[in-house]
Amino acid sequence: MNPSESETPTTPASAIDAWIVDDPRRAAIYAGRARCVVGALLLVMPRWAARLEFGPGADTAAASWLLRMLGLRDIVLGLGTVISASERRGGAGWASMGALTDAGDGLFALGVRGLPVRSRTFVVPALISALLHWRSAKALAPEESGR
């Protein structure tokens, strides 16, 4: 056995990656559930979420509407991931769509001029979620395609 193969992961990122590779279906299900929780919070408490992300005064009717739309999007993507991964059919596709939307959210936020610093802190969790979803999708794809 190669000495590097017997070593345990030394960083949080390598430990998470090892867990995803060992059990990609469970990782996708957990990621989907987490997305549903975030979506539910946005749907039920949009004004609170607006203040948290954009600061005082951001809890307008327009912001509530937009955050409710994003909340519904996250619930649909999360449920699709959970259901399809549980049924062993299409989990990779749903997880990859979650990765795409999270990467877009994070990257688009970086490109907005004048965005408050507190809003830019949400870029990190969005990109981490994108990586988690992408890695889960990549690990699920061969299993679901029969390869």
Side-chain angles (χ1 to χ4, degrees):
M1 181 188 309
N2 184 342
S4 64
E5 291 176 352
S6 65
E7 295 176 12
T8 57
T10 57
T11 65
S14 60
I16 290 170
D17 193 53
W19 172 66
I20 292 170
V21 169
D22 288 343
D23 198 350
R25 187 158 316 287
R26 183 173 298 195
I29 290 169
Y30 285 161
R33 287 177 180 166
R35 180 178 293 284
C36 286
V37 169
V38 170
L41 287 172
L42 291 174
L43 196 62
V44 174
M45 301 177 1
R47 290 184 184 268
W48 170 80
R51 285 190 304 273
L52 180 66
E53 186 161 353
F54 302 111
D59 57 348
T60 64
S64 291
W65 166 71
L66 181 60
L67 290 173
R68 281 192 171 118
M69 280 191 338
L70 293 175
L72 183 59
R73 176 196 77 171
D74 279 348
I75 290 170
V76 169
L77 285 169
L79 284 175
T81 301
V82 169
I83 293 167
S84 61
S86 297
E87 293 179 351
R88 301 178 184 279
R89 261 191 350 232
W94 281 96
S96 65
M97 292 301 102
L100 182 63
T101 58
D102 287 341
D105 291 349
L107 294 174
F108 291 144
L110 289 175
V112 175
R113 290 184 183 196
L115 194 64
V117 172
R118 73 187 311 152
S119 299
R120 293 193 190 279
T121 61
F122 286 88
V123 169
V124 174
L127 294 178
I128 289 171
S129 179
L131 289 172
L132 173 63
H133 280 83
W134 172 78
R135 190 65 180 103
S136 296
K138 186 176 175 187
L140 282 173
E143 177 185 323
E144 290 181 347
S145 68
R147 293 182 198 163

